[in-house]
Amino acid sequence: MTDASDTRGFRRLFGGDDLTFGAGFPLTDARESRPAVDEEMALAAHAESVGFDGLWARDVPLYWPRFGDAGQTYDTWPWLSHVAAHTDEVAIGTASVVLPLRHPIHVAKSAATVDHLSDGRLVMGVATGDRDPEFPAFGVDIDERGEQFRESIDLLRTVWRDEFPETDGSWGELDGDLDVVPKPVGETIPLLPTGFARQSIEWIADNGDGWFFYHLPESTLESYLDDWRDAAGDTPYAMAVRTELADDPEADPEHRHLGYRAGAEWFVEYFRTLDDMGVDHVLVSPAGGEDPEASLTRFAETVINQV
């Protein structure tokens, strides 16, 4: 497998010894309507300036009200291109591209384009999808998404690495007369399977540049990390945690879906524990409310800078 560790995005998230932090769009916390683009870009630049290491965009092709939100509404690739133009150093990521719902050649070209526009800052979370009605809308057999995911990963690696490749799969065929351009800035673009993506942990270790997972209780997380280190060694482990910062810095934690509401002091100790356990990057949700810029600043100053 080609080496992704020397790309700018990978180095920003995983190149040091300390836990790094990312924030996810929409930073204005607009969940069911179009976020204000200018405000989102201003917040992206602000998040970078106060110390966030990554900015992540979700891939939600279709709005399903029962699921509760529409991601950042706008398509992932032009959105991240716009983010790249309004930031300088922060890693930009997908969390996560639903590979079975997208033709892998389109993904390869779009991702490499964003990689160039961001000067190598792209990191890709990749997934099999969890919104069931989307699959018939795209004519995709939901029971085949695990196999299609593997095929897509293989093709992405191939067309980013090789010129005029010869390869085929359920997606189609390349017979050596056609090439996918541009190629990424580096040898490849980092790929982080999200959840199990209907694969074994050994497959993820062999084919991913890291593993992106959801929030887990600490006892379960410890077990997952042990299995991951056995399979993948020092390959990065990233996770998403919902974070609601209470006004009282000493407030005890209250469970939320996939995370907590707590005071800054508790969050500092929690993230120090994750760092000690071997988590490399956390995608948090500090923005929103009436003043998302102030929320980002407060989280950076009282949590990130203290961890």
Side-chain angles (χ1 to χ4, degrees):
M1 188 173 70
T2 50
D3 184 14
S5 64
D6 198 36
T7 67
R8 286 183 68 201
F10 190 98
R11 291 198 307 269
R12 179 65 184 253
L13 297 183
F14 307 120
D17 295 329
D18 296 330
L19 181 68
T20 61
F21 289 79
F25 293 104
L27 297 172
T28 52
D29 204 29
R31 297 294 173 181
E32 297 184 22
S33 60
R34 293 189 301 270
V37 176
D38 289 347
E39 185 176 0
E40 290 286 328
M41 294 305 109
L43 290 170
H46 181 71
E48 178 179 53
S49 72
V50 296
F52 284 85
D53 297 287
L55 292 168
W56 297 88
R58 296 163 64 195
D59 181 29
V60 183
L62 296 170
Y63 176 42
W64 185 28
R66 283 182 53 190
F67 205 88
D69 69 79
Q72 76 276 346
T73 301
Y74 298 100
D75 183 74
T76 305
W77 302 119
W79 184 261
L80 287 180
S81 297
H82 205 45
V83 175
H86 286 80
T87 56
D88 298 307
E89 301 292 337
V90 67
I92 57 176
T94 61
S96 292
V97 173
V98 184
L99 292 181
L101 300 183
R102 291 179 177 264
H103 196 286
I105 292 178
H106 285 146
V107 173
K109 189 176 185 74
S110 295
T113 299
V114 172
D115 194 46
H116 276 270
L117 294 175
S118 65
D119 194 20
R121 289 188 280 142
L122 181 63
V123 176
M124 287 177 60
V126 286
T128 50
D130 55 8
R131 302 187 182 211
D132 290 356
E134 289 182 332
F135 290 87
F138 285 92
V140 174
D141 186 338
I142 196 171
D143 295 327
E144 295 180 359
R145 53 185 158 167
E147 179 180 354
Q148 291 180 337
F149 181 84
R150 293 191 298 273
E151 281 194 334
S152 292
I153 294 291
D154 182 64
L155 182 66
L156 291 175
R157 299 289 194 195
T158 298
V159 300
W160 287 337
R161 179 188 65 237
D162 299 341
E163 295 183 359
F164 298 96
E166 295 184 23
T167 184
D168 61 73
S170 63
W171 48 268
E173 178 183 1
L174 289 171
D175 61 6
D177 292 330
L178 299 170
D179 198 14
V180 178
V181 292
K183 305 300 183 185
V185 172
E187 291 185 21
T188 189
I189 295 171
L191 296 176
L192 280 61
T194 302
F196 280 99
R198 287 159 178 78
Q199 314 301 323
S200 68
I201 194 170
E202 290 78 15
W203 186 94
I204 295 170
D206 289 341
N207 293 274
D209 300 299
W211 195 15
F212 206 157
F213 217 88
Y214 314 102
H215 170 261
L216 296 168
E218 287 179 40
S219 58
T220 306
L221 174 61
E222 185 174 20
S223 174
Y224 275 49
L225 282 168
D226 287 344
D227 291 342
W228 178 242
R229 297 304 170 203
D230 288 342
D234 294 332
T235 304
Y237 182 96
M239 62 183 287
V241 184
R242 182 178 178 182
T243 51
E244 294 182 15
L245 195 58
D247 292 336
D248 180 359
E250 299 180 355
D252 290 331
E254 301 175 12
H255 283 279
R256 294 290 189 267
H257 179 60
L258 299 178
Y260 304 97
R261 173 181 172 82
E265 293 181 5
W266 184 88
F267 271 124
V268 168
E269 293 304 315
Y270 172 69
F271 288 122
R272 285 176 178 170
T273 298
L274 295 189
D275 191 13
D276 290 341
M277 292 173 68
V279 175
D280 299 289
H281 178 74
V282 285
L283 169 56
V284 296
S285 51
E290 294 183 359
D291 192 343
E293 180 177 308
S295 297
L296 287 165
T297 301
R298 181 169 168 243
F299 192 92
E301 291 177 348
T302 63
V303 179
I304 294 177
N305 293 347
Q306 307 305 317
V307 174

